[in-house]
Amino acid sequence: MTTTEPRAAQDRAFAHPLPSYLDPNNIGPYEIYLEQVERVTPYLGKLAYWVETLKRPKRILVVDVPIHLDDGTVAHFEGYRVQHNTSRGPAKGGVRYHQDVTLSEVMALSAWMTVKNAAVNLPYGGGKGGIRIDPRRYSQGELERVTRRYTTEIGLIIGPEKDIPAPDVNTGPQTMAWMMDTYSMNVGRTATGVVTGKPISLGGSLGRSDATGRGVFVTGAEAMKKLGMPMEGAKIAIQGFGNVGEAAARIFHQHGAKIVAIQDVTGTIHSDAGIDPKAALEHLRRTGKITDLPGTEELGAGEFWAVDCDVLIPAALEKQITLQNADQIKARLVVEGANGPTIPAADDLLAQKGVTVVPDVLANAGGVTVSYFEWVQDFSSFFWTEDEINARLDRIMREAFGSLWDVKERHGVTLRTAVYIVACTRVLEARAMRGLYP
């Protein structure tokens, strides 16, 4: 069936009910994504016929993950793998370990991966995984057993040409090494391309650890140029000081910007004179907390949003910028390092205030871009230098930002809407050309 359906089909109402596995009274993070799709639908033209494709994940796998704990008892954990869309290529997306992971969250994350990959024109669809576990409460051996059992359970649907997991919240190169080894043992051959974000010794890519934070910097710097904001001395506030936030802080600092506030799960610090990200990281590793860093003052969690800054980078979890704090934000520019940190109503408020938002599906696409480089290198068994990786990443991010900014200006919309116009058009064009089988 194409976009030229019989009149009767065109006249039908296309308002489908929510899937039964979602609670209409508490949809969760997926509700943010659904609203974003609704907002972009008027710009899709005839492709709007296929818009339900974007609202419903292609495949959802919920698995039980039982393991022996170190004390000899058996524990069961809930695991997910969602493949949102594979119209443009295999699913691609991370795996997070967090005690509050839900199906709705993983669905939203997988959908944002679909948009993100299409926005920077990578040949992937969107996927995501997660396990409901607080990794701080378990030993290294227990986490290895959780990872191996989870990988075995989702092994039915992952693979180098089907679905390629990667690190996310509370997972990293070691987790990916266990996943790769488990999958390889189960298929009887070494399959380095089944995951990305691996250690270098197992086919990982140089530049991968900083890639997401570097992409945040590149898109943020491009936005600052468009807005006439100088980099030298620009005041940056960062929420989240993990892999993404730390790398973004370090690279902005290296280019002359001033980090004036950092917030993470342990607290919030502020300094008008600027914070050295390297010193902050060393302090965090030594003491286990960001607070009490010499030369800084501690702020309350809510005070972070009112800090005087030019650029705000939310690089923690979703739903951080809400109607309760958006009006306090003083930054001219928000660069979303996290996935889904701004709820749609807060997005509207920021736009009304004249705040430019570089959305997550563009700003944090550096990670999946270098994951794509890793995947390509694994297939070819030919590896690039870190300088080559960074140059390729910077070019893709700058070109994507420039073309999407042009769409923003042409339609007179926010940058988020512009990204969704381009990305959803690409996905739905692929869906329409492929048609429905059977």
Side-chain angles (χ1 to χ4, degrees):
M1 190 178 287
T2 69
T3 54
T4 56
E5 285 72 25
R7 186 72 255 168
Q10 292 181 0
D11 288 341
R12 277 193 216 116
F14 290 104
H16 294 267
L18 279 174
S20 62
Y21 47 79
L22 289 176
D23 178 0
N25 298 314
N26 183 22
I27 298 175
Y30 200 63
E31 185 172 21
I32 297 176
Y33 167 75
L34 290 176
E35 185 167 342
Q36 291 165 342
V37 172
E38 288 294 335
R39 291 180 176 211
V40 79
T41 301
Y43 298 93
L44 298 178
K46 291 183 178 180
L47 289 172
Y49 174 83
W50 295 96
V51 77
E52 284 295 324
T53 299
L54 297 173
K55 297 179 183 179
R56 295 165 179 270
K58 174 183 176 63
R59 184 176 291 116
I60 295 172
L61 181 61
V62 182
V63 297
D64 178 39
V65 184
I67 66 160
H68 288 289
L69 298 179
D70 292 343
D71 64 6
T73 61
V74 174
H76 292 255
F77 302 94
E78 193 172 313
Y80 307 100
R81 188 68 189 177
V82 177
Q83 296 169 350
H84 175 259
N85 189 281
T86 58
S87 294
R88 302 180 72 248
K92 185 80 187 75
V95 176
R96 62 176 48 184
Y97 289 1
H98 197 277
Q99 62 274 16
D100 297 325
V101 164
T102 64
L103 176 58
S104 175
E105 178 185 38
V106 179
M107 287 170 59
L109 293 166
S110 69
W112 287 322
M113 285 301 301
T114 295
V115 176
K116 187 183 306 182
N117 286 318
V120 293
N121 212 17
L122 299 180
Y124 288 140
K128 208 75 175 187
I131 303 177
R132 287 179 64 87
I133 184 173
D134 182 351
R136 297 170 297 182
R137 298 179 54 199
Y138 297 92
S139 69
Q140 184 86 336
E142 289 168 334
L143 292 175
E144 178 178 354
R145 293 194 287 278
V146 163
T147 301
R148 291 186 181 277
R149 182 60 186 244
Y150 170 73
T151 305
T152 298
E153 295 293 344
I154 68 169
L156 296 167
I157 64 171
I158 65 172
E161 296 175 328
K162 298 196 305 187
D163 183 355
I164 307 104
D168 199 82
V169 175
N170 293 325
T171 58
Q174 179 61 78
T175 315
M176 295 303 105
W178 290 330
M179 291 191 75
M180 188 214 81
D181 181 69
T182 303
Y183 180 86
S184 297
M185 292 301 100
N186 288 336
V187 299
R189 59 181 173 80
T190 298
T192 56
V194 68
V195 296
T196 58
K198 304 180 295 297
I200 300 299
S201 59
L202 292 177
S205 176
L206 296 169
R208 177 61 182 87
S209 60
D210 279 357
T212 306
R214 186 177 183 89
V216 169
F217 167 76
V218 171
T219 54
E222 291 298 300
M224 291 172 73
K225 292 176 186 176
K226 295 289 187 182
L227 298 172
M229 299 170 62
M231 179 66 68
E232 188 69 33
K235 293 179 288 186
I236 315 289
I238 295 184
Q239 185 201 39
F241 203 58
N243 176 263
V244 178
E246 185 277 327
R250 174 166 31 88
I251 300 171
F252 269 104
H253 179 74
Q254 290 169 353
H255 285 78
K258 185 166 61 173
I259 311 303
V260 296
I262 299 174
Q263 181 179 83
D264 74 352
V265 69
T266 68
T268 306
I269 58 174
H270 172 262
S271 172
D272 285 327
I275 302 167
D276 182 349
K278 182 178 179 182
L281 181 61
E282 290 174 350
H283 175 78
L284 177 62
R285 287 174 172 170
R286 185 175 65 255
T287 67
K289 59 182 181 178
I290 199 73
T291 53
D292 297 329
L293 177 68
T296 67
E297 61 173 335
E298 184 174 355
L299 300 180
E303 295 178 277
F304 170 81
W305 304 105
V307 165
D308 183 21
C309 62
D310 301 305
V311 181
L312 175 67
I313 302 174
L317 295 171
E318 59 269 2
K319 290 188 174 181
Q320 297 300 299
I321 300 179
T322 66
L323 287 177
Q324 283 66 50
N325 58 32
D327 201 41
Q328 303 173 41
I329 292 173
K330 296 182 173 64
R332 288 181 59 196
L333 176 64
V334 174
V335 187
E336 295 182 334
N339 291 306
T342 309
I343 69 168
D347 217 17
D348 293 340
L349 180 55
L350 292 175
Q352 291 167 14
K353 292 175 59 179
V355 178
T356 297
V357 178
V358 182
D360 49 358
V361 287
L362 173 61
N364 66 30
V368 72
T369 301
V370 176
S371 278
Y372 168 62
F373 297 162
E374 180 178 333
W375 184 68
V376 170
Q377 290 171 97
D378 285 338
F379 271 118
S380 64
S381 298
F382 182 83
F383 291 83
W384 303 321
T385 67
E386 187 164 2
D387 286 344
E388 289 174 320
I389 293 289
N390 289 339
R392 291 171 189 268
L393 170 62
D394 292 357
R395 177 182 59 79
I396 286 176
M397 297 298 289
R398 287 195 181 104
E399 289 178 356
F401 180 91
S403 64
L404 293 166
W405 187 273
D406 290 344
V407 173
K408 166 191 177 298
E409 296 290 284
R410 186 163 66 249
H411 288 281
V413 295
T414 65
L415 189 54
R416 189 186 309 278
T417 299
V419 172
Y420 272 76
I421 290 172
V422 172
C424 293
T425 296
R426 286 173 175 166
V427 173
L428 296 184
E429 280 179 345
R431 175 72 280 165
M433 289 298 293
R434 289 181 62 165
L436 296 179
Y437 174 84

